């Protein structure tokens, strides 16, 4: 599942060096040749955050349940590195739904609160969403996100990587992230 797309591989050069190289390339091509645009935020190792930088754009009920979860406040608080969190995903995540199975009472509810959407009434927030928010607190780099979405040990590590992208990246950049993975045949259960 190697991906060689320039938008996804990242660039280890600092932006000022890459911009200088682009300017030098433009000078070498002359004014009549076509040139590539200067390096944008998408090409450095630092990822831009889109939306609310405190809530990760999560549903308020999900976020409240994550922040009050003993799992998040106690066990995940002790994890300080990206690799520790990835290991925790590998050993603990069994689905990527927002609520633990059977923890929500939906009897008699209709519409968007009727158990289909997953956010109408609270429950016990899932391990996956607690770990997703923990990844957000680490402020992942492009290289780390690429490590998640190309991970070979667990489809849940990959799923959380794609969810991280979906919640934190500008909507205009989503296609660049997802395009080369659309025909992915790896199977996992929600």
């Amino acid at each position: 599942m190697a991906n060689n797309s320039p938008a996804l591989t990242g660039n280890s050069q600092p932006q000022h060096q890459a911009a200088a190289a682009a300017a030098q390339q433009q000078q070498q091509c002359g004014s009549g040749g076509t040139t590539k645009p200067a390096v944008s935020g998408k090409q450095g190792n630092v990822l831009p955050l889109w939306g609310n930088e405190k809530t990760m754009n999560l549903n308020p009920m999900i976020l409240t349940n994550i922040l009050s979860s003993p799992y998040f406040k106690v066990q995940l608080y002790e994890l300080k590195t990206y690799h520790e969190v990835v290991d925790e995903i590998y050993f603990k995540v069994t689905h990527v739904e927002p609520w633990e199975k059977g923890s929500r009472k939906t009897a008699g509810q209709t519409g968007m609160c009727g158990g289909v959407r997953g956010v109408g009434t609270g429950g016990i927030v899932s391990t996956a969403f607690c770990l997703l928010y923990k990844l957000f607190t680490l402020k992942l780099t492009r290289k780390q996100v690429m490590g998640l979405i190309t991970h070979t040990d667990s489809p849940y590590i990959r799923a959380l990587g794609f969810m991280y992208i979906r919640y934190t990246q500008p909507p205009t950049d989503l296609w660049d992230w997802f395009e080369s993975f659309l025909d992915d045949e790896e199977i996992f259960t929600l």
Side-chain angles (χ1 to χ4, degrees):
M1 281 188 30
N3 185 345
N4 295 326
S5 170
L8 296 176
T9 57
N11 184 349
S12 59
Q13 292 181 326
Q15 282 190 339
H16 68 279
Q17 288 177 343
Q24 183 178 14
Q25 179 183 3
Q26 183 176 1
Q27 287 176 346
Q28 291 173 351
C29 292
S31 59
T34 57
T35 59
K36 295 184 179 181
V39 176
S40 70
K42 291 192 284 187
Q43 301 205 358
N45 200 30
V46 176
L47 285 175
L49 286 179
W50 175 80
N52 191 315
E53 294 185 11
K54 293 182 182 175
T55 68
M56 195 180 123
N57 305 311
L58 287 170
N59 175 281
M61 185 176 290
I62 292 174
L63 181 60
T64 299
N65 286 359
I66 289 170
L67 295 175
S68 63
S69 163
Y71 176 64
F72 183 79
K73 291 192 309 188
V74 179
Q75 284 107 323
L76 294 186
Y77 178 77
E78 295 178 9
L79 303 181
K80 303 295 184 198
T81 68
Y82 164 80
H83 295 291
E84 290 174 328
V85 176
V86 170
D87 287 346
E88 187 78 1
I89 295 168
Y90 179 81
F91 288 111
K92 301 288 177 136
V93 175
T94 59
H95 66 88
V96 292
E97 295 172 352
W99 306 110
E100 287 300 334
K101 295 176 184 190
S103 69
R104 296 182 54 240
K105 294 183 175 144
T106 58
Q109 296 177 356
T110 60
M112 289 177 60
C113 295
V116 177
R117 307 261 315 168
V119 296
T121 61
I124 299 171
V125 71
S126 71
T127 302
F129 269 73
C130 288
L131 285 159
L132 179 63
Y133 193 74
K134 179 63 179 185
L135 288 170
F136 176 71
T137 65
L138 296 176
K139 305 295 184 221
L140 300 181
T141 64
R142 180 174 306 283
K143 182 177 178 181
Q144 290 170 326
V145 173
M146 285 303 300
L148 290 174
I149 65 176
T150 59
H151 208 285
T152 58
D153 291 344
S154 168
Y156 299 110
I157 295 171
R158 296 184 65 222
L160 285 179
F162 286 114
M163 289 169 60
Y164 183 88
I165 292 167
R166 172 60 186 90
Y167 279 105
T168 66
Q169 294 305 288
T172 55
D173 295 349
L174 295 181
W175 181 255
D176 293 336
W177 281 102
F178 295 153
E179 180 182 18
S180 61
F181 295 95
L182 292 178
D183 292 329
D184 190 334
E185 295 181 5
E186 185 168 14
I187 297 171
F188 79 103
T189 58
L190 290 176

